[in-house]
Amino acid sequence: MFSQSEENYLKAIFHLQGETDDGVSTSSISTHLNTKAASVTEAVKRLAEKKLVDYQKYYGVQLTETGKEHALAVVRKHRLWESFLVDRLNFNWDEVHEVAEQLEHIKSIKLVEELDKFLGRPAYDPHGDPIPDAKGNMPEIPRKKLSQLQKGDRGTCKGFNDASSSFLKYLAKQQIGLGTAVEVVNIEKFDESMTVRIADEEVQLSKTATDNIYVDP
Amino acid sequence: MFSQSEENYLKAIFHLQGETDDGVSTSSISTHLNTKAASVTEAVKRLAEKKLVDYQKYYGVQLTETGKEHALAVVRKHRLWESFLVDRLNFNWDEVHEVAEQLEHIKSIKLVEELDKFLGRPAYDPHGDPIPDAKGNMPEIPRKKLSQLQKGDRGTCKGFNDASSSFLKYLAKQQIGLGTAVEVVNIEKFDESMTVRIADEEVQLSKTATDNIYVDP
DNA sequence: TTATATTTTTAGGTAAAACTAACTATTTAT
DNA sequence: ATAAATAGTTAGTTTTACCTAAAAATATAA
Ligand SMILES: [Mn+2]
Ligand SMILES: [Mn+2]
Ligand SMILES: [Mn+2]
Ligand SMILES: [Mn+2]
């Protein structure tokens, strides 16, 4: 149906689209996928041709309904496979993302359905991200970036951006995991770094780090 | 490391090489992979460049030691995934081959090792084919094509060529499976079709069918 | 042993997916 | 409002992987 490259673009656009409803820029896609903006322009033209995105020159792209459906199907597979690797094959949560990047492109509706059943229809992946069901629905969990909290705020870790294994290893070292309670002790003005209390221990977290930690306030 | 296309060529050459030690023809590869001979010529040049095959113009290709190792790694993955699909995900043996054709290209040594462990290190896949171990060793099971038996010979089914789902469905309908005892009742001269006895029932099998059934005489 | 048939390779194309360099449109700052 | 900076597109290449048609080599048959 669609190529791996096309699926990667759809997924990237889906993630970058977030809440806002204005177009996703080619440069943000190129950063996300480690390609060059010129390559993205070509790619989105092909996607527009196939009615997977709406594309307006110089004003970015947006997924069509079909495009979004397919992106969600890929996200579903990615998160199910990550769950499989951690829950059944003894992988650590910090070493599954790369493999899931490959597995998410396997084409077989039956495989996804049976895998989901086999895993007991998990609602969240190992990084706390919700797993869409076969129809593309997923629980809207209220969560913020840790970086959005103010001094004095408390919250519980609900998810982490799993794109980098080194980040997840770093979290493990800091004793931060799903469900960990955090309290913002201080925020440095000049670099937005944060001091947080985790079970009586105080740790320093960079803005880069707090941007990739999701909390339920 | 190697592309899906390259891996498919290596696997095809491995299967076509069989016992004989003369070169595999480009046309046989093209038939096997549903491509054109011209495409194969180009592909084997690339493989020869990478020292995965020895190629002599007009005289076919042979896998190098490295090429064979990699082919066996792909075969190992293919058969492990088929086992996973049948043993754990409720797939039928006749619907796993196509999916395994995709899964065999996933690159992760840990994944293969953990999958193997998870499945209890199976020795055979659902079609009776031996699964190579991590080093590429697999049991040399003595087996012949059913088509090689003579009138009056008996044997036990030890494997089936799983490339076509329709063939496996046909076998199921004829009540032929792994371990089934067969006796050659008659062979027609003109089309080499065979009459075999299976548990008191007599069935007619075409040469195409008997070429794809392996037996232990 | 020559002629014919078959197989294989070469030559020339196409399409996807990437790249760099150059150009153009939009945004921002003066 | 204009100029400079930034972002985005176009043009021209490259590599992989396929194709068809034509040419060349090998195999076979008279
Ligand atoms: Mn992931
Ligand atoms: Mn994840
Ligand atoms: Mn198979
Ligand atoms: Mn098999």
Side-chain angles (χ1 to χ4, degrees):
Chain A
M1 197 74 176
F2 304 116
S3 71
Q4 295 203 186
S5 168
E6 287 172 323
E7 290 188 336
N8 285 336
Y9 279 106
L10 292 177
K11 193 161 62 102
I13 296 163
F14 175 81
H15 286 312
L16 292 167
Q17 211 162 236
E19 297 86 42
T20 69
D21 56 321
D22 39 51
V24 175
S25 71
T26 47
S27 62
S28 66
I29 299 172
S30 75
T31 307
H32 195 85
L33 293 178
N34 271 297
T35 56
K36 296 297 149 80
S39 311
V40 176
T41 302
E42 293 175 300
V44 298
K45 278 185 193 168
R46 288 193 297 267
L47 293 175
E49 198 86 11
K50 298 188 180 183
K51 308 275 185 204
L52 294 168
V53 299
D54 291 319
Y55 168 52
Q56 288 194 123
K57 264 191 194 179
Y58 295 101
Y59 294 92
V61 285
Q62 277 179 287
L63 292 174
T64 60
E65 207 40 56
T66 323
K68 192 180 170 190
E69 273 168 30
H70 200 77
L72 275 161
V74 177
V75 169
R76 169 169 163 78
K77 286 190 277 182
H78 183 101
R79 294 179 180 167
L80 281 174
W81 281 116
E82 287 190 340
S83 303
F84 170 69
L85 295 174
V86 169
D87 296 352
R88 306 297 165 124
L89 296 195
N90 308 306
F91 275 66
N92 278 111
W93 75 334
D94 57 31
E95 51 187 9
V96 296
H97 182 74
E98 285 303 312
V99 186
E101 283 293 308
Q102 300 175 59
L103 286 163
E104 73 190 5
H105 302 293
I106 301 293
K107 280 155 188 66
S108 165
I109 291 164
K110 172 155 186 165
L111 175 55
V112 187
E113 180 49 34
E114 292 293 333
L115 185 63
D116 191 22
K117 215 190 294 173
F118 179 68
L119 297 172
R121 307 212 179 273
Y124 299 95
D125 86 357
H127 313 101
D129 291 308
I131 300 176
D133 69 16
K135 285 169 187 152
N137 303 117
M138 55 179 169
E140 199 43 73
I141 39 170
R143 65 186 201 181
K144 284 182 172 174
K145 289 181 176 177
L146 174 53
S147 56
Q148 293 172 308
L149 295 199
Q150 304 299 314
K151 186 169 169 175
D153 288 351
R154 292 148 174 277
T156 312
C157 292
K158 279 282 178 282
F160 308 98
N161 182 349
D162 71 345
S164 135
S165 165
S166 57
F167 173 61
L168 296 175
K169 283 197 205 310
Y170 166 79
L171 288 177
K173 209 163 61 188
Q174 305 288 335
Q175 307 268 41
I176 301 173
L178 286 172
T180 302
V182 296
E183 181 188 342
V184 181
V185 175
N186 189 46
I187 303 175
E188 287 294 337
K189 291 248 162 46
F190 84 104
D191 68 350
E192 296 178 80
S193 73
M194 218 177 238
T195 309
V196 297
R197 183 165 15 247
I198 299 166
D200 293 349
E201 295 273 316
E202 285 193 4
V203 289
Q204 284 281 338
L205 298 173
S206 68
K207 176 69 161 33
T208 317
T210 57
D211 265 344
N212 289 290
I213 298 174
Y214 302 103
V215 293
D216 183 8
Chain B
M1 197 73 177
F2 304 115
S3 71
Q4 296 205 183
S5 167
E6 287 173 323
E7 290 189 334
N8 285 335
Y9 279 106
L10 291 177
K11 193 161 63 101
I13 296 164
F14 175 80
H15 286 314
L16 292 166
Q17 211 163 235
E19 297 86 41
T20 67
D21 56 320
D22 39 52
V24 175
S25 72
T26 47
S27 63
S28 66
I29 298 171
S30 74
T31 307
H32 196 85
L33 293 178
N34 271 296
T35 56
K36 295 298 149 78
S39 310
V40 176
T41 302
E42 292 177 298
V44 298
K45 278 184 193 168
R46 288 194 295 266
L47 294 174
E49 199 86 11
K50 299 187 179 182
K51 308 275 184 202
L52 294 167
V53 299
D54 291 319
Y55 169 51
Q56 289 195 124
K57 263 191 195 175
Y58 295 101
Y59 294 91
V61 284
Q62 276 179 285
L63 293 174
T64 60
E65 205 43 54
T66 323
K68 192 181 169 187
E69 272 167 32
H70 199 78
L72 274 160
V74 176
V75 168
R76 170 167 161 80
K77 287 190 276 182
H78 183 101
R79 294 181 181 166
L80 281 173
W81 280 116
E82 286 190 341
S83 302
F84 170 69
L85 295 174
V86 169
D87 296 353
R88 306 296 166 127
L89 296 194
N90 308 307
F91 274 65
N92 277 111
W93 75 333
D94 58 32
E95 50 188 7
V96 295
H97 182 73
E98 285 304 311
V99 185
E101 284 292 309
Q102 299 175 59
L103 287 163
E104 72 189 6
H105 302 292
I106 302 294
K107 280 154 190 62
S108 165
I109 290 164
K110 172 155 183 164
L111 175 55
V112 187
E113 181 49 33
E114 292 293 334
L115 185 63
D116 192 22
K117 217 191 290 173
F118 179 67
L119 297 172
R121 307 211 178 273
Y124 299 95
D125 86 357
H127 312 102
D129 290 309
I131 301 175
D133 69 17
K135 284 169 187 152
N137 302 117
M138 56 179 168
E140 197 43 73
I141 40 169
R143 66 186 199 181
K144 285 180 171 175
K145 288 179 175 176
L146 174 53
S147 56
Q148 293 173 309
L149 295 198
Q150 304 298 313
K151 185 170 169 175
D153 288 351
R154 292 148 174 276
T156 310
C157 293
K158 280 281 179 281
F160 308 98
N161 182 347
D162 71 346
S164 137
S165 165
S166 56
F167 173 61
L168 296 175
K169 283 197 205 309
Y170 166 79
L171 289 178
K173 208 163 61 187
Q174 305 288 334
Q175 309 268 41
I176 302 172
L178 286 173
T180 302
V182 296
E183 181 188 341
V184 182
V185 176
N186 188 44
I187 304 174
E188 286 295 336
K189 292 247 162 49
F190 85 105
D191 69 349
E192 295 179 79
S193 74
M194 218 179 238
T195 308
V196 297
R197 185 168 10 251
I198 298 164
D200 293 350
E201 295 274 315
E202 285 192 5
V203 290
Q204 285 281 337
L205 299 172
S206 68
K207 176 67 159 36
T208 317
T210 57
D211 266 344
N212 289 291
I213 298 173
Y214 302 102
V215 294
D216 183 8

